[in-house]
Amino acid sequence: MSFAHSVSSASSASSVSAVRSVPLVPAPCEVPHFAPVRVRGGRYRLGRLVRHRRRALALGLAVTAAAIVAAGPRQPAGPPPDVGRVRGHPVADPVRARPTVEMVTAPVRIADAATVRLLRPGDRVDVIAAEESPTGTDARVVARRARVTQVPQAPTAQESAAEGGALVVLSVPRTTASRLAGAGVTARLAVTLW
């Protein structure tokens, strides 16, 4: 054996003995006492919410009530609808009241006297003007839902033929009365019942 081999054997033996002398498990040491760590959120927040469920329920109901009030129907800013109402008679609603239109009575000569005999005061009619044109007959509505106020007594056949129709008195707005007068000069007028 050589000297080098004996030195290496001696050094390995001393290192093995050194390794065996070091304990494999460290000696137990004492851990100091500390307060528990609290994490915000997570299951702890849910647990706190469950513990305070009365508050959560009250808060939820308050938010729901506020949303219902905000989205609810609006009440008109006037008196209640039944104020001043007589039983059986409707009350004019000032909000829905239409602007008043000046109504006038307009005498209109209808071409067909037999149709006029069907009319009674209070009936509603549309007045149609038929004009001859090179392409044929053009018809247009001159008055809509005009109220019949007067119908003449039944004329004889000779009177109807001589006058060319029958006269009817209608209640219409002033602008419609002027259109009826203009159409009566240039066209033959007819009525349709409502």
Side-chain angles (χ1 to χ4, degrees):
M1 254 174 119
S2 69
F3 178 72
H5 186 271
S6 65
V7 170
S8 68
S9 311
S11 67
S12 65
S14 66
S15 67
V16 170
S17 65
V19 169
R20 287 185 187 164
S21 66
V22 175
L24 294 177
V25 178
C29 63
E30 233 181 272
V31 177
H33 180 72
F34 58 90
V37 177
R38 301 209 184 261
V39 180
R40 301 193 101 178
R43 64 181 187 170
Y44 295 106
R45 181 173 287 176
L46 180 64
R48 188 173 51 191
L49 185 63
V50 169
R51 285 191 304 271
H52 301 290
R53 63 180 170 257
R54 285 184 183 169
R55 288 185 198 165
L57 182 62
L59 179 64
L61 288 175
V63 168
T64 304
I68 289 173
V69 167
R74 304 281 186 233
Q75 293 292 332
D82 288 341
V83 171
R85 181 174 183 208
V86 178
R87 186 178 179 104
H89 297 283
V91 174
D93 188 1
V95 176
R96 294 183 183 173
R98 294 182 180 175
T100 57
V101 176
E102 184 181 0
M103 302 296 278
V104 296
T105 55
V108 178
R109 182 163 301 281
I110 304 301
D112 187 10
T115 305
V116 174
R117 280 187 243 136
L118 298 173
L119 299 177
R120 301 285 175 260
D123 286 346
R124 295 281 180 174
V125 295
D126 285 350
V127 181
I128 301 168
E131 295 182 86
E132 295 293 329
S133 69
T135 59
T137 304
D138 293 332
R140 61 188 167 91
V141 177
V142 182
R144 294 188 188 276
R145 293 189 52 83
R147 189 171 57 85
V148 176
T149 56
Q150 291 180 3
V151 179
Q153 299 296 327
T156 63
Q158 289 178 341
E159 291 174 350
S160 299
E163 294 176 0
L167 196 64
V168 177
V169 180
L170 302 175
S171 176
V172 291
R174 185 174 293 278
T175 56
T176 305
S178 62
R179 282 198 313 257
L180 282 170
V185 173
T186 60
R188 293 173 48 114
L189 300 180
V191 293
T192 57
L193 291 166
W194 273 81

